[in-house]
């Protein structure tokens, strides 16, 4: 085991700290009445973030994979229960694929799945009030149900209006939730919906379900999405994490099976969406330079004065059409010279003794965690010299 | 109470972010998250003191120094961190150091 003595102590240390914390905290969680599942989720989130940061190498990957497999199985079980409750039509087992949104939304999405069974039971009786529907659907904040439409297939659509004006249709089939974005100038909705759904009714064995976060749809729409498949792909591409990719693969397999039938769906939706006009604006993280919308223009007007000055300075900044000059003045040449990792190298520790003679400083430090060039190190003692 | 010094590390920040996400989805209360962080403080302090056993040397030039509330903050430039195994060079590093004696010797404030 001599070789292991030279190996990096950081992953082991971190793992042991995580284990300690989780175990100590278990009691606290139980006292508060919080489920063990939440504790496991905390642990998973924590480990995932550590993995993503790449500050530590080789870290808990097996356990994470096992946990995620367990979580997937749990979700599939939930969906199976829902199918049994709601629908008599038998569906192939592999058809129940749900793409999870980013992990922060996992809980509400699970709630949505479970509660859909109740909703569908009620739907046939009465139309629900907007508030009740919003509550039961666990819609993201600001999104309110707008209308309920019933297609000829007996499916109930919930048209939902987000605060930014975008309208989404939440289709509530057996066990899946399909969010489609309707990019419209706000005109008539019913005929378009039916038009979109027509090919669906034509025998498409809805084998794939996709949960798309409205935020992701908007991000994609900002880039002139032309078809819902692109929306789905964009949404899927934006989801980090192993859970998303694993399930995306499964969805794609199911989609492969339904490919010939999926194509008419895609074409119909592509036809429905040339009506797309002003994409709703939300936080855009992929840079500007795309279609201008109202808000874009507003922002640009504010920066007009700065615009002229800075564009004169940086005439070379090409390719940034209508770009707010926020970025043009920010680049300092030092940034390019510094390391590729834009971490500020930080050492967090305790000092035993700090000594100074004239301008010669000596540092005696202990129990420290360092992040240098993006990587983590630890030490029990550190001794240093510096001139001021 | 253990130093909350280590919360601003990769490990600590990822924990805080995870807790924030759980708070957002209302799976835990902020109070519970605080308790978790306090527990983390204890755990990391203990782990560093007991489970880590390596030495590092470094040398550089001191750009700034600050001593306030018994906390030293240094910014060094062109620093080399040397361990037995390897060498790491950075252009700039910030060192934040809390008093290493006050915790264990809180009863012995004889100086």
């Amino acid at each position: 085991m001599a070789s292991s003595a030279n190996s990096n102590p950081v992953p082991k240390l971190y793992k042991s700290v995580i284990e300690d914390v989780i175990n100590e905290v278990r009691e606290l969680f139980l006292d508060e009445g919080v489920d063990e599942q939440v504790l496991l989720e905390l642990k998973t989130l924590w480990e995932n973030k550590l993995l993503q940061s790449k500050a530590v190498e080789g870290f808990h990957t097996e356990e994470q994979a096992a946990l995620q497999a367990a979580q997937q199985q749990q979700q599939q079980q939930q969906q199976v229960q829902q199918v049994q409750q709601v629908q008599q039509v038998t569906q192939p087992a592999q058809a129940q694929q749900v793409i999870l949104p980013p992990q922060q939304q996992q809980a509400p999405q699970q709630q949505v799945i479970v509660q859909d069974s109740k909703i569908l039971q009620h739907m046939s009786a009465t139309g629900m009030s907007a508030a009740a529907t919003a509550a039961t659907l666990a819609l993201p904040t600001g999104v309110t149900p707008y209308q309920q439409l019933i297609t000829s297939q007996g499916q109930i659509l919930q048209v939902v209006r987000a605060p930014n004006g975008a309208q989404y249709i939440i289709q509530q089939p057996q066990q899946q939730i399909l969010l489609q974005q309707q990019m419209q100038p706000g005109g008539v909705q019913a005929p378009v919906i039916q038009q979109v759904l027509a090919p669906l009714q034509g025998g498409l064995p809805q084998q794939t379900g996709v949960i798309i976060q409205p935020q992701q749809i908007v991000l994609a729409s900002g880039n002139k999405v032309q078809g819902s498949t692109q929306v789905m792909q964009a949404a899927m591409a934006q989801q980090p994490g192993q859970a998303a990719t694993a399930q995306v693969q499964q969805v794609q397999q199911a989609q492969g099976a339904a490919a010939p039938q999926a194509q008419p769906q895609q074409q119909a939706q592509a036809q429905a969406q040339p009506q797309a006009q002003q994409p709703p604006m939300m936080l855009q993280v992929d840079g500007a330079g795309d279609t201008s919308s109202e808000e874009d223009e507003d922002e640009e007007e504010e920066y007009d004065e700065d615009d002229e000055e800075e564009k004169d300075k940086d005439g070379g900044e090409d390719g940034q059409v209508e770009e707010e000059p926020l970025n043009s003045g920010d680049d300092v040449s030092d940034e390019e010279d510094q390391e590729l990792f834009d971490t500020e190298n930080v050492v967090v520790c305790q000092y035993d003794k700090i000594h100074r003679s004239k301008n010669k400083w000596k540092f005696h430090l202990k129990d420290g965690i360092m992040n240098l060039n993006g990587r983590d190190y630890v030490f029990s003692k550190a001794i240093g010299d510096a001139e001021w | 109470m253990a130093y909350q010094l280590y919360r601003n590390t990769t490990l600590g920040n990822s924990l805080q972010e995870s807790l924030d996400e759980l708070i957002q989805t209302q799976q835990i209360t902020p109070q519970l998250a605080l308790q978790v962080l306090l527990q983390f403080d204890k755990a990391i302090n203990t782990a560093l003191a007991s489970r880590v056993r390596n030495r590092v040397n470094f040398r550089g030039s001191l750009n700034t120094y600050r001593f306030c509330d018994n906390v030293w903050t240094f910014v060094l430039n062109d620093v080399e961190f040397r361990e037995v195994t390897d060498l790491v060079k950075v252009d700039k590093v910030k060192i934040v150091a809390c008093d290493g004696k006050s915790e264990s010797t809180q009863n012995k404030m004889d100086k």
Side-chain angles (χ1 to χ4, degrees):
Chain A
M1 299 288 281
S3 61
S4 67
N6 293 333
S7 65
N8 196 1
V10 175
K12 285 185 210 155
L13 177 74
Y14 283 9
K15 283 182 204 176
S16 70
V17 169
I18 293 179
E19 294 294 329
D20 282 349
V21 171
I22 296 292
N23 288 332
E24 293 286 329
V25 152
R26 182 167 281 122
E27 280 188 33
L28 290 173
F29 270 56
L30 292 179
D31 285 345
E32 290 255 337
V34 179
D35 194 29
E36 171 87 9
Q37 176 69 16
V38 178
L39 184 65
L40 285 180
E41 191 173 341
L42 172 66
K43 184 174 181 198
T44 310
L45 282 171
W46 195 0
E47 289 171 352
N48 282 343
K49 288 188 196 292
L50 278 173
L51 260 189
Q52 286 173 14
S53 76
K54 295 182 195 165
V56 191
E57 340 147 344
F59 187 83
H60 261 306
T61 43
E62 295 177 6
E63 290 186 13
Q64 281 182 339
L67 274 178
Q68 284 167 356
Q71 284 179 359
Q72 289 176 13
Q73 289 173 5
Q74 287 176 5
Q75 285 147 9
Q76 288 179 1
Q77 285 174 4
Q78 283 183 1
Q79 291 175 356
V80 169
Q81 291 172 4
Q82 191 176 0
V83 169
Q84 293 169 356
Q85 287 176 11
V86 172
Q87 199 68 344
Q88 296 86 13
V89 175
T90 58
Q91 295 268 339
Q94 45 177 308
Q96 298 159 13
Q97 301 298 341
V98 172
I99 290 189
L100 280 185
Q103 289 169 346
Q104 60 199 9
Q105 300 262 352
Q106 258 184 3
Q109 287 300 331
Q110 290 177 358
Q111 295 170 6
V112 175
I113 293 174
V114 171
Q115 291 171 354
D116 262 356
S117 59
K118 304 178 193 167
I119 292 173
L120 283 170
Q121 290 171 5
H122 290 187
M123 283 280 190
S124 56
T126 56
M128 293 169 62
S129 67
T133 313
T136 49
L137 283 180
L139 292 171
T141 56
V143 177
T144 59
Y146 191 64
Q147 274 188 15
Q148 278 185 3
L149 300 164
I150 301 182
T151 68
S152 59
Q153 204 180 16
Q155 291 177 352
I156 295 175
L157 297 180
Q158 195 71 30
V159 178
V160 152
R161 190 186 186 91
N164 53 18
Q167 291 163 350
Y168 309 108
I169 296 177
I170 300 180
Q171 180 183 10
Q172 293 164 351
Q174 306 80 23
Q175 71 279 10
Q176 293 141 1
I177 300 169
L178 183 68
L179 288 181
Q180 294 177 350
Q181 180 182 13
Q182 283 292 322
M183 296 187 281
Q184 292 180 359
V188 185
Q189 300 169 8
V192 177
I193 293 168
Q194 289 174 3
Q195 176 186 0
V196 168
L197 285 179
L200 288 181
Q201 298 167 8
L204 178 67
Q206 300 172 2
Q207 290 186 357
T208 61
V210 174
I211 293 183
I212 304 175
Q213 285 299 307
Q215 296 168 356
Q216 293 174 352
I217 294 177
V218 172
L219 283 177
S221 73
N223 296 328
K224 280 190 176 171
V225 174
Q226 294 174 0
S228 69
T229 51
Q230 292 183 9
V231 175
M232 289 194 282
Q233 287 168 6
M236 291 192 284
Q238 289 169 6
Q239 288 175 353
Q242 302 173 8
T245 52
Q247 289 163 342
V248 163
Q249 292 170 2
Q250 293 167 350
V251 169
Q252 287 173 353
Q253 289 173 4
Q255 278 182 351
Q261 291 162 344
Q263 285 173 3
Q265 174 190 10
Q266 297 172 6
Q267 290 172 2
Q269 290 174 351
Q271 292 170 5
Q273 290 178 351
Q275 300 176 13
Q277 292 190 2
Q278 294 189 348
M281 272 308 295
M282 275 182 74
L283 275 181
Q284 194 161 346
V285 299
D286 58 354
D290 51 11
T291 62
S292 63
S293 68
E294 292 178 359
E295 296 193 11
D296 253 347
E297 291 170 0
D298 288 343
E299 290 179 9
E300 285 169 325
E301 286 171 6
E302 293 175 9
Y303 289 109
D304 260 348
E305 297 177 358
D306 297 337
D307 247 349
E308 296 170 1
E309 291 178 3
E310 297 186 16
K311 275 187 183 169
D312 289 340
K313 286 184 197 171
D314 310 38
E317 298 268 339
D318 293 331
Q320 297 191 347
V321 182
E322 302 167 350
E323 176 84 13
E324 304 95 59
L326 286 178
N327 298 336
S328 58
D330 282 355
D331 288 334
V332 181
S333 61
D334 281 352
E335 282 189 18
E336 299 167 3
D337 296 340
Q338 283 174 2
E339 279 96 59
L340 297 174
F341 323 78
D342 36 23
T343 47
E344 165 155 328
N345 306 298
V346 178
V347 177
V348 183
C349 58
Q350 301 176 28
Y351 61 87
D352 278 329
K353 200 163 188 68
I354 305 291
H355 174 80
R356 178 194 66 83
S357 239
K358 299 250 172 100
N359 73 335
K360 306 280 187 271
W361 288 73
K362 291 197 194 311
F363 314 93
H364 293 250
L365 309 170
K366 70 176 188 185
D367 296 343
I369 299 180
M370 310 194 283
N371 185 285
L372 305 173
N373 296 333
R375 291 190 52 192
D376 272 7
Y377 306 86
V378 292
F379 61 82
S380 64
K381 269 173 99 66
I383 299 186
D385 285 279
E387 271 189 35
W388 179 75
Chain B
M1 230 176 63
Y3 281 130
Q4 302 186 359
L5 174 71
Y6 301 101
R7 291 191 190 181
N8 187 24
T9 57
T10 314
L11 194 61
N13 280 325
S14 47
L15 176 61
Q16 293 193 67
E17 288 171 16
S18 309
L19 288 170
D20 282 341
E21 287 181 15
L22 292 181
I23 293 177
Q24 289 244 341
T25 61
Q26 300 194 339
Q27 290 173 278
I28 61 174
T29 62
Q31 178 64 20
L32 183 59
L34 182 63
Q35 297 292 321
V36 175
L37 283 172
L38 291 174
Q39 192 58 46
F40 167 77
D41 295 331
K42 282 190 215 163
I44 189 70
N45 273 281
T46 313
L48 281 174
S50 56
R51 285 190 214 130
V52 185
R53 282 278 168 259
N54 59 327
R55 267 182 63 151
V56 167
N57 290 313
F58 62 95
R59 180 177 296 277
S61 50
L62 186 62
N63 187 313
T64 62
Y65 56 88
R66 174 187 302 137
F67 183 61
C68 182
D69 291 334
N70 276 324
V71 177
W72 277 104
T73 306
F74 304 103
V75 176
L76 277 72
N77 290 118
D78 301 323
V79 196
E80 287 186 6
F81 287 85
R82 218 173 272 270
E83 203 166 349
V84 177
T85 46
D86 48 16
L87 169 69
V88 181
K89 292 194 196 182
V90 295
D91 287 345
K92 178 180 165 192
V93 65
K94 175 192 272 197
I95 302 182
V96 180
C98 286
D99 195 345
K101 284 177 236 146
S102 80
E103 278 206 304
S104 58
T105 63
Q106 268 183 5
N107 301 332
K108 301 180 189 174
M109 297 281 284
D110 291 335
K111 298 182 184 176

